[in-house]
Amino acid sequence: MPHCRLPHTRPASSSSSTKQIASPVICFSPSLRASSLPLLFVSFFLLVYAFGLALSPPFLDYHAFFFHGFSTSHILQPPTGSGTDRRKKCEVNFSQVNGSDTGSSEKGLQNGGLCNYGEGTWVFDPSRMPLYSGNCPFQRNSWNCERNKRPGLDKLFQWKWVPKQCNLSVINPYSFLAATRNMKIGFIGDSLNENFLVSFLCILRTADKGAHGWKKKRSWRGAYFPKFNVTVGYHRAVLLAESYELQPTRTEGHGKQRGLRKGVRVNVDVPASDWISVTDFYDIFVFNTGHWWGPDKFPPENPLVFYKEGEPLIPQMGLRDGLEVVLQNMIPYIERTIPSKALKIWRMQSPRHFEGGEWNQNGSCLSEKLLTDGQVEEWFGLGKGGVNKEAREMNLIIKQALQRRSFYVLDITHMSEYRVDAHPALWLGKKDAHIIWGQDCMHWCLPGLPDIWVDILAAVILEYIDLQSNC
């Protein structure tokens, strides 16, 4: 028989009103009633959850466990053997891609072994179709070759990259987002990483139409996919290090001694402001730099002036040496500040295809055919003297800096060298834009070649998640 406290009344307020409010009847039972079990279960659940949050070890995400179930995208299983040996095995398995090899391709992870995604062959596949269209809301006008009616798009989409050593599947956006549930993926670098980002966002949106993005300076800077609680962001940092224009009226330090009236100061040991505060935010990082380290961006009359610890580096360096010093400072900084469990990817150079001159010298890329092996070497071979060789030159510097580091090297250079057909060229979305800015033989049509970069990126990320589930 339950014991109940009789209802009592209390004034509605401290005023003189005579209105009374009845308190609820409160009953206690000597034995548990069936109707009480759900409440007790919920109370126990919340108590255990709170206790777990307070005391959970670093390899277990209790929030993910309770609200999303067991999934290798949230829970890193505790090592079963020696902790040091287990961590070392995982690091070696994933970082051995950065050995002494400085060739043109990277090694990828596939089925627990090494796969070289960067070496392969383009195969024409008439059945291949893009996963999204020019109507993707994340599209950038100048890259939207479908809307801008660039000729030859049907064939552009139908080339499939076939690696020599393994299979490369087209990304399944739904499966990928499910595997990366609750994760954050960040792109850091120049506009070619933005080109990559837009492809990635448009592909993932096909699995979550509720995705919504954000912009900065009229360009997309990321999107959130609410079905899966996945965030993808982009941080523009063309030199990676902090840089700003020197004032003509007070050119600083060594620049003043050289008689420079203008220039760009680069603090080689300070990350650019756009990404300095996000090193502990993302679970996966995709870095790049390289396209701004050329004389077309910083000619002798407007050079980069390098500083370290607030002092000018003397003697001042050229662009290539400057890139080396920036990488020597930025790569260790990244490794120090990004949590060790995060996946760090470095995307190698995307090649340009200017024929007949630089972008500002009437260089063009109007071909609808892929380059042959011989043409690739003629256009990009070191020592050939062409305007497009910078990709391989930069790769040598970057790969040297990445040796024995904990980055996955995502090398899309060689596979992309064949694709002279895949740039926006004249079709930039605005009348006479190519007359003002020149043809765009650097960025890529979307949908287009970066979609295949996304296939490789997805394969690497999923392999990493699988690897971590066993560590």
Side-chain angles (χ1 to χ4, degrees):
M1 188 71 182
H3 306 287
C4 297
R5 180 188 302 165
L6 294 176
H8 64 277
T9 59
R10 56 185 174 86
S13 70
S14 58
S15 68
S16 59
S17 170
T18 60
K19 182 179 180 181
Q20 304 292 309
I21 299 177
S23 295
V25 176
I26 304 174
C27 298
F28 304 90
S29 174
S31 60
L32 288 175
R33 304 175 70 183
S35 60
S36 303
L37 291 177
L39 180 61
L40 289 173
F41 177 77
V42 170
S43 300
F44 177 75
F45 174 92
L46 292 175
L47 180 63
V48 173
Y49 174 63
F51 184 76
L53 285 177
L55 300 179
S56 60
F59 55 77
L60 181 57
D61 182 342
Y62 270 83
H63 178 83
F65 168 73
F66 277 107
F67 293 105
H68 300 287
F70 282 103
S71 169
T72 58
S73 62
H74 315 112
I75 303 172
L76 303 183
Q77 301 295 337
T80 56
S82 164
T84 302
D85 292 344
R86 193 73 174 178
R87 285 194 300 272
K88 183 176 180 182
K89 180 182 178 184
C90 293
E91 290 171 2
V92 169
N93 278 352
F94 206 76
S95 63
Q96 62 184 317
V97 296
N98 304 322
S100 60
D101 179 22
T102 56
S104 63
S105 62
E106 106 286 0
K107 298 168 184 175
L109 289 170
Q110 180 78 7
N111 299 323
L114 290 175
C115 168
N116 191 333
Y117 288 112
E119 289 296 326
T121 306
W122 287 104
V123 176
F124 190 72
D125 180 2
S127 66
R128 185 179 176 90
M129 297 295 292
L131 295 177
Y132 61 98
S133 72
N135 294 324
C136 171
F138 302 121
Q139 273 278 19
R140 183 165 174 170
N141 187 43
S142 59
W143 303 336
N144 194 340
C145 294
E146 178 183 314
R147 182 174 296 173
N148 299 335
K149 296 180 170 51
R150 190 203 194 284
L153 288 184
D154 53 342
K155 292 183 179 178
L156 188 157
F157 300 142
Q158 294 173 341
W159 286 100
K160 177 174 68 174
W161 180 250
V162 181
K164 290 181 178 178
Q165 299 178 1
C166 58
N167 294 323
L168 176 62
S169 300
V170 175
I171 181 176
N172 181 320
Y174 189 93
S175 297
F176 178 84
L177 284 170
T180 56
R181 186 183 296 275
N182 295 335
M183 297 183 76
K184 304 178 186 73
I185 303 170
F187 290 73
I188 298 169
D190 57 34
S191 61
L192 271 299
N193 248 11
E194 183 185 354
N195 206 185
F196 195 4
L197 168 94
V198 172
S199 169
F200 195 43
L201 295 183
C202 287
I203 287 173
L204 296 186
R205 183 183 174 273
T206 63
D208 188 352
K209 299 296 185 183
H212 51 85
W214 57 91
K215 285 186 174 183
K216 182 179 180 181
K217 296 182 179 179
R218 296 182 295 177
S219 295
W220 291 106
R221 290 293 187 263
Y224 174 66
F225 299 86
K227 273 188 182 179
F228 304 89
N229 192 30
V230 170
T231 300
V232 181
Y234 166 63
H235 302 267
R236 182 174 171 83
V238 298
L239 302 177
L240 290 186
E242 179 183 66
S243 61
Y244 52 86
E245 289 187 8
L246 297 173
Q247 299 299 319
T249 56
R250 57 177 187 86
T251 305
E252 305 169 30
H254 191 61
K256 188 173 183 179
Q257 297 174 23
R258 294 165 64 190
L260 295 176
R261 297 189 59 83
K262 60 185 299 189
V264 175
R265 172 169 171 163
V266 181
N267 295 318
V268 300
D269 53 342
V270 181
S273 60
D274 212 43
W275 69 275
I276 191 172
S277 61
V278 301
T279 53
D280 61 351
F281 179 73
Y282 293 106
D283 303 287
I284 299 165
F285 294 80
V286 183
F287 288 92
N288 97 294
T289 189
H291 291 285
W292 281 70
W293 294 90
D296 59 313
K297 299 292 188 182
F298 297 105
E301 61 271 19
N302 185 36
L304 298 180
V305 183
F306 299 97
Y307 282 70
K308 185 174 183 179
E309 298 178 352
E311 298 295 327
L313 293 175
I314 300 175
Q316 273 294 306
M317 298 169 289
L319 292 168
R320 298 296 193 265
D321 291 337
L323 172 59
E324 285 189 37
V325 174
V326 165
L327 293 175
Q328 288 166 7
N329 285 271
M330 290 298 99
I331 290 174
Y333 177 88
I334 292 166
E335 292 193 317
R336 286 195 309 272
T337 58
I338 290 180
S340 59
K341 65 179 180 180
L343 170 58
K344 300 180 290 295
I345 297 172
W346 200 288
R347 180 188 61 74
M348 303 304 287
Q349 290 302 96
S350 170
R352 313 178 313 159
H353 289 92
F354 289 101
E355 186 175 19
E358 274 283 3
W359 64 272
N360 55 356
Q361 299 170 344
N362 296 319
S364 67
C365 50
L366 300 177
S367 176
E368 296 181 20
K369 295 181 178 180
L370 277 63
L371 296 181
T372 64
D373 291 342
Q375 288 173 319
V376 164
E377 289 308 309
E378 183 179 341
W379 281 52
F380 300 101
L382 296 175
K384 299 291 185 180
V387 299
N388 302 294
K389 63 181 181 180
E390 72 162 25
R392 294 192 185 185
E393 290 177 345
M394 296 296 178
N395 276 358
L396 289 175
I397 296 171
I398 295 167
K399 285 194 173 183
Q400 183 68 30
L402 290 175
Q403 282 190 33
R404 309 301 176 189
R405 297 292 186 175
S406 58
F407 288 77
Y408 183 92
V409 179
L410 183 67
D411 195 339
I412 47 78
T413 305
H414 183 60
M415 63 179 292
S416 305
E417 287 175 342
Y418 293 90
R419 299 307 304 271
V420 65
D421 64 314
H423 297 283
L426 296 171
W427 296 272
L428 301 174
K430 290 184 179 180
K431 184 179 180 180
D432 298 332
H434 66 284
I435 296 176
I436 301 170
W437 300 106
Q439 293 188 33
D440 189 350
C441 303
M442 175 180 289
H443 301 99
W444 305 94
C445 288
L446 296 177
L449 175 65
D451 302 345
I452 299 178
W453 302 354
V454 170
D455 293 339
I456 298 175
L457 177 65
V460 171
I461 291 174
L462 294 176
E463 185 71 22
Y464 179 74
I465 291 172
D466 184 61
L467 175 69
Q468 288 296 311
S469 70
N470 297 311
C471 292

